[in-house]
Amino acid sequence: MKRGIVNRHRTKKWLCAFIILVLVCIVVRWLSPVVFARDGLLTRMRVEDYNTQYDLGSTRRHDADVTDIYLFYFGFERVLVQKEEKNGDIFEGYDIEVKKVMPFLYKWERQLSDPAYRVTIGEDKFYYTIVSC
């Protein structure tokens, strides 16, 4: 009789652990991709295309000496990052070299003149801004 109770408790613990793991995976996939620097997250907006100049509203401020930007993406599609620069009246994207640091974690270097990044993952497009204090 005691053995049956122990097995039920053990089964409940494994079931709870499995449910929590599934929920964590769903949340990570839903929030992915996450772009951050050492002092916080970058402001993000999902977009349809890069032909329109988007207003992201209030943008998080970052330290001026932030040089490395990291992207966490829980998936296997190709990651393309472009910095955005103003060329006359239009904004153009220029490719940036992105290094894969470890599985699902990417890194690129920031120049102080880079105010925004275009991140394309498969068919999904994201617009990230970084403004220094």
Side-chain angles (χ1 to χ4, degrees), residues 11-117:
T11 304
K12 284 183 182 179
K13 285 181 185 178
W14 280 108
L15 182 62
C16 288
F18 177 74
I19 290 171
I20 289 171
L21 180 65
V22 167
L23 289 175
V24 166
C25 288
I26 289 170
V27 168
V28 166
R29 182 72 176 147
W30 180 60
L31 293 175
S32 186
V34 176
V35 177
F36 59 95
R38 67 172 166 73
D39 63 345
L41 298 173
L42 274 67
T43 302
R44 166 182 125 164
M45 175 184 247
R46 184 182 207 123
V47 297
E48 295 297 321
D49 60 35
Y50 299 122
N51 296 329
T52 306
Q53 184 63 31
Y54 294 93
D55 180 16
L56 273 65
S58 180
T59 301
R60 294 180 190 97
R61 302 287 178 176
H62 295 268
D63 294 338
D65 61 347
V66 169
T67 57
D68 293 330
I69 306 291
Y70 297 91
L71 179 138
F72 175 79
Y73 168 62
F74 189 66
F76 299 100
E77 293 188 52
R78 183 171 171 249
V79 174
L80 174 68
V81 178
Q82 295 179 324
K83 66 179 180 177
E84 188 174 84
E85 290 184 2
K86 189 171 185 176
N87 188 1
D89 291 338
I90 60 172
F91 288 87
E92 294 182 2
Y94 299 96
D95 290 342
I96 295 177
E97 179 186 352
V98 179
K99 299 174 189 166
K100 191 171 193 174
V101 178
M102 57 190 342
F104 313 119
L105 185 65
Y106 302 86
K107 172 185 167 182
W108 68 87
E109 291 188 24
R110 172 189 180 226
Q111 304 299 321
L112 286 177
S113 62
D114 298 344
Y117 297 100

Side-chain angles (χ1 to χ4, degrees), residues 1-6 8:
M1 183 149 161
K2 202 173 199 184
R3 190 171 189 211
I5 293 173
V6 170
R8 274 190 256 145

